[in-house]
Amino acid sequence: MIAKTPAIVLRYAPSGETSRVVTWLTPRTGRIATVLKGALRPKSGFLGQYDLFYTCELLYYRRPARQVYLAKECAPLKLRPAFRSDWRATALASYWTDLAARVSPAHAPQSSLYRWLELGLDTVLTAGPSIGLCGWLELRLLRQLGLAPQLTACSGCQAALPLGRPTVFSAARGGLLCAACARHDRSEALPVPADIQAILQRWQQAATPEAALRIRCTAAQTAALNRILGAFLRYHLDLALPSRQIALDILQRGNP
């Protein structure tokens, strides 16, 4: 059975001397892998038709018993050529595709994750790479996965957390804690000044990346936000991605 789908290239690797295995994210079938037979031959029909961060129209032979399908053909729908010259945007895109590849189950519908990744790839090329965009996308992904941190009420007693008061963040408890619950909490909680709490709440409530990008952060605030979100991602997704740290280090060096 031949299937056709839009697909975003997540990664690829050699297969033999002339072929490649490409991992894709698709909206209806989720993460799939296909063999592109002869993709490295000089006259291959696949030459120039796919690359990292491309959105392609993919035709492949779908066989339920197979874990890796055979690609029939593909054609680029969005090439995103700016990733070939903007290395800071490329670092963020590499992190997002790595993250998507790790959180998406194989052969399962992933329309929301597909839209999330496509939004990130398109926005970083129009608005520019920034830690604010990265933080907003991380919170949006956590919400889609049903893992959004609790930032407006205490994760322990559910009491409202008024702005203007420092608190603590516990990844194990699922978000912010009030002073009373923090005193009895034995997890590794991180201090959260009032300004950091406000930024996290505004990022989480922002409906669009443009709204999140209007929020400006100092270097000290950026470092604190990265620690908090990094701790939450590691705990709840059980992932420690070097690609995240590399991307954030590159962005911080570019924005002292």
Side-chain angles (χ1 to χ4, degrees):
M1 169 182 166
I2 296 179
K4 181 171 74 172
T5 181
I8 300 174
V9 179
L10 299 179
R11 56 178 65 147
Y12 52 74
S15 176
E17 294 184 358
T18 61
S19 302
R20 272 182 171 165
V21 174
V22 181
T23 302
W24 312 81
L25 184 65
T26 70
R28 294 185 180 179
T29 319
R31 176 171 50 84
I32 63 172
T34 64
V35 174
L36 275 60
K37 289 285 189 180
L40 301 179
R41 290 175 180 157
K43 295 184 180 180
S44 170
F46 291 114
L47 288 178
Q49 301 304 300
Y50 72 99
D51 205 346
L52 291 175
F53 320 129
Y54 277 27
T55 298
C56 298
E57 183 178 76
L58 173 67
L59 271 70
Y60 64 99
Y61 297 97
R62 186 177 181 185
R63 296 177 181 175
R66 298 279 183 91
Q67 293 298 311
V68 179
Y69 303 129
L70 178 64
K72 184 176 186 293
E73 59 185 71
C74 67
L77 300 175
K78 289 185 180 180
L79 282 71
R80 303 185 177 95
F83 281 125
R84 276 71 201 163
S85 57
D86 189 338
W87 60 280
R88 296 171 70 244
T90 301
L92 271 182
S94 297
Y95 163 49
W96 295 333
T97 52
D98 187 20
L99 181 58
R102 293 173 186 268
V103 302
S104 57
H107 313 295
Q110 291 292 318
S111 59
S112 61
L113 181 60
Y114 180 89
R115 291 193 300 271
W116 172 86
L117 181 57
E118 191 162 50
L119 176 64
L121 295 177
D122 290 340
T123 303
V124 75
L125 294 180
T126 56
S130 71
I131 289 176
L133 175 61
C134 186
W136 179 80
L137 277 172
E138 288 175 338
L139 286 169
R140 191 174 181 88
L141 175 62
L142 288 167
R143 183 176 64 187
Q144 290 179 357
L145 297 175
L147 297 170
Q150 193 156 306
L151 300 175
T152 57
C154 175
S155 297
C157 66
Q158 305 303 314
L161 292 172
L163 284 174
R165 298 180 188 174
T167 182
V168 299
F169 184 92
S170 170
R173 299 291 294 275
L176 296 175
L177 295 174
C178 68
C181 290
R183 283 195 295 269
H184 302 290
D185 184 65
R186 295 183 179 180
S187 64
E188 296 183 7
L190 297 170
V192 179
D195 58 331
I196 300 301
Q197 179 188 0
I199 293 170
L200 285 170
Q201 288 182 1
R202 291 178 66 189
W203 277 356
Q204 192 176 66
Q205 294 164 1
T208 64
E210 291 76 19
L213 290 171
R214 288 195 287 268
I215 304 166
R216 301 297 181 183
C217 303
T218 67
Q221 289 171 333
T222 294
L225 291 161
N226 289 343
R227 283 195 300 272
I228 290 169
L229 290 176
F232 196 85
L233 290 165
R234 285 192 301 273
Y235 186 91
H236 289 277
L237 299 180
D238 195 23
L239 293 174
L241 299 181
S243 56
R244 181 181 192 269
Q245 192 58 52
I246 291 169
L248 295 181
D249 286 347
I250 288 173
L251 290 181
Q252 287 174 314
R253 284 202 299 269
N255 292 285

